[in-house]
Amino acid sequence: MPGKLGLGLLVALVVGSIIGSGIFGLPQNMAAGAGAGAILIGWTITGIGMLLLVRVYQMLSLRKPELDNGVYAYARALSGEYVGFNSAWGYWVSAWIGNVGYLVAAFGALGYFFPVFGTGNSPAAIAGASLVLWGIHFMVLRGIQGAAVLNAVVTAAKIVPLLLFIVLVAMAFQLDTFRLDFWGDAKLGSVLDQVKSTMLVTVWVFIGIEGASVYSARARKREDVGRATVIGFLICLLLLMSVSLLSLGVFNQPALAGLKNPSMAGVLESAVGTWGAVLIYVGLIVSVGGGFLAWMLLAAESLFTPAGGGVMPKWLAQPNDKGVPANALWLTNGMVQLFLVLTLFSEASYLALISLSTAMILLPYLFSAAYGISLAWRGEGPSDARHRSDLPVAAVATLYCVWLLYAAGFKYLLLSALLYAPGVVLYAWAKRQRHEHVFTVWEWAILATLVALASVAAVLLATGRLGL
């Protein structure tokens, strides 16, 4: 396959897909429901949980190097084709919903300089976002390698304003401000409620840790997949925690929660003046462009590999002469375009979009962690890839994923089911192309559960009792 990816480009894909728009609104998003103490606990849980999940992906890449596109392949190996399909489908839906949020955020940032773009969902903003969408689409069609190199350049560029923010805000940090109402006031609820409120935000900003795993088939060396995942995670953890916690030393929790997003701009403006806000808005635009590109690549790949494995229609497995999954790319960006238009008529907020995107990816993460338990328990894989710590690491990572499902709340799980259920059409199409029975008895039970939950969600949406 043309354009194999080395360690540096794989690390850039991980960092580029993690660092997008989320970090720029992180101070306000975290403070909106939690005080400094609960935020510290939330970061501790997320840091440990995500590190263990990273370790699981590293372990799986070493024990099962023959499995391509881990998010899909691990779920399929764990529980069969329909579960594997749903993992890929959920990951794909999460990716393009996130890309809609990226474009809205980017043009909302441009609205700081050009009011015609408003908050990112005005007619002018949607027109501009559509031009960007299809411009990048046709660039990617010219080759994955070139797109990955561009992503690496943009990733390096967007790290600069983040490092400047960290240095400048650290200089303005006031310990007394950080300590004020450390455990939050009564309006925020119990510490547990506050910690739960941080979970979807912290997971959202970490989505992308599996980026190298999704691109495992295109890696120059298989061992680079695990290395890139760990290196990318550590870089992003340091950046994210620094931005979130240092901001609490400039504004107290209520003031930080009241900032307009991207809240990093308000924090830096308070520390150094107006030029600080301009720096952050420019940084956001560059960062979102890079994140959007990385996720466009990941979304298309998450359809392409399963189609090659026969669980999605054959036409999605057809690359162009540059090795790009062209049909998968067209379907992905068609959905982005559709939802961009819908934002003109919807009151769904950016935070609601990212919460839904995050909820969609929780099951693929859970399947990967559970497969790690299965492999470690059975002792599968080359002897030099097996370690005593693999089983406890995978077990705790699985518990973390279950905790995330609980923290997400029933609302987003219902909305997720509403988006998971329609995927059965593509799955049935693929199975008919192979002249096979569509479902086993176990898979019929899974479908029935999805349809039941989706039906409940549809009724609640129609009656106004469930909404974004």
Side-chain angles (χ1 to χ4, degrees), residues 3 32 52 55 61 82 90 95 139 205 213 220 240 259 309 368 384 401 443 447:
L52 294 175
R55 176 69 182 84
S61 71
Y82 186 50
M139 183 201 71
V205 295
S213 174
R220 189 174 298 144
L240 291 164
L259 286 182
S368 295
D384 60 349
C401 292
E443 290 170 346
L447 177 62

Side-chain angles (χ1 to χ4, degrees), residues 76-427:
R76 178 173 177 168
L78 175 70
S79 296
E81 289 190 344
Y82 186 50
V83 171
F85 166 85
N86 274 312
S87 186
W89 174 264
Y91 190 84
W92 175 70
V93 173
S94 173
W96 62 254
I97 288 177
N99 268 354
V100 174
Y102 274 167
L103 289 169
V104 170
F107 278 85
L110 283 171
Y112 179 82
F113 305 101
F114 308 102
V116 68
F117 293 131
T119 58
N121 60 352
S122 67
I126 299 307
S130 300
L131 289 174
V132 170
L133 168 67
W134 294 109
I136 295 178
H137 171 90
F138 286 108
M139 183 201 71
V140 172
L141 286 176
R142 298 178 63 182
I144 292 291
Q145 176 74 11
V149 170
L150 177 61
N151 174 69
V153 173
V154 174
T155 298
K158 68 187 179 184
I159 295 296
V160 174
L162 298 179
L163 293 177
L164 279 173
F165 176 91
I166 290 169
V167 171
L168 295 170
V169 172
M171 293 171 63
F173 184 87
Q174 297 292 322
L175 188 58
D176 289 342
T177 303
F178 184 79
R179 289 174 175 171
L180 190 64
D181 288 329
F182 189 73
W183 295 110
D185 59 35
K187 296 178 182 178
L188 298 175
S190 68
V191 173
L192 177 60
D193 288 337
Q194 293 179 55
V195 171
K196 283 172 59 181
S197 78
T198 70
M199 285 295 102
L200 282 185
V201 177
T202 55
V203 175
W204 159 252
V205 295
F206 268 122
I207 289 177
I209 61 167
E210 70 296 320
S213 174
V214 173
Y215 262 84
S216 57
R218 299 178 187 268
R220 189 174 298 144
K221 297 179 182 178
R222 281 291 181 164
E223 57 267 29
D224 285 347
V225 173
R227 292 172 184 164
T229 303
V230 172
I231 294 170
F233 167 78
L234 292 175
I235 291 171
C236 293
L237 178 62
L238 289 172
L239 291 171
L240 291 164
M241 289 189 67
S242 298
V243 166
S244 174
L245 296 174
L246 288 173
S247 297
L248 286 161
V250 176
F251 286 104
N252 61 18
Q253 180 271 325
L256 197 55
L259 286 182
K260 175 186 175 183
N261 276 317
S263 49
M264 275 180 64
V267 173
L268 193 56
E269 184 174 25
S270 175
V272 300
T274 303
W275 72 266
V278 173
L279 173 68
I280 295 304
Y281 276 105
V282 172
L284 172 59
I285 294 165
V286 173
S287 184
V288 167
F292 179 79
L293 173 58
W295 275 103
M296 184 185 290
L297 297 174
L298 290 172
E301 195 74 11
S302 67
L303 292 180
F304 179 69
T305 306
V311 301
M312 288 191 181
K314 293 178 181 177
W315 62 275
L316 289 172
Q318 295 173 3
N320 63 12
D321 58 357
K322 302 291 185 181
V324 177
N327 291 339
L329 198 67
W330 280 104
L331 178 59
T332 298
N333 291 334
M335 293 303 299
V336 173
Q337 180 66 76
L338 174 62
F339 267 61
L340 276 175
V341 173
L342 290 178
T343 61
L344 284 171
F345 310 101
S346 170
E347 295 181 358
S349 67
Y350 166 73
L351 192 57
L353 282 172
I354 67 173
S355 295
L356 183 54
S357 177
T358 304
M360 288 297 296
I361 210 169
L362 296 183
L363 281 179
Y365 282 170
L366 176 61
F367 293 143
S368 295
Y371 185 55
I373 292 180
S374 176
L375 283 187
W377 182 263
R378 297 196 305 268
E380 290 188 29
S383 58
D384 60 349
R386 300 197 297 265
H387 303 280
R388 290 183 180 179
S389 63
D390 287 350
L391 183 58
V393 164
V396 178
T398 302
L399 288 175
Y400 172 64
C401 292
V402 172
W403 153 255
L404 290 176
L405 287 169
Y406 164 71
F410 198 52
K411 167 185 173 179
Y412 284 109
L413 294 182
L414 281 177
L415 289 170
S416 295
L418 195 60
L419 291 172
Y420 267 105
V424 69
V425 175
L426 284 185
Y427 181 71

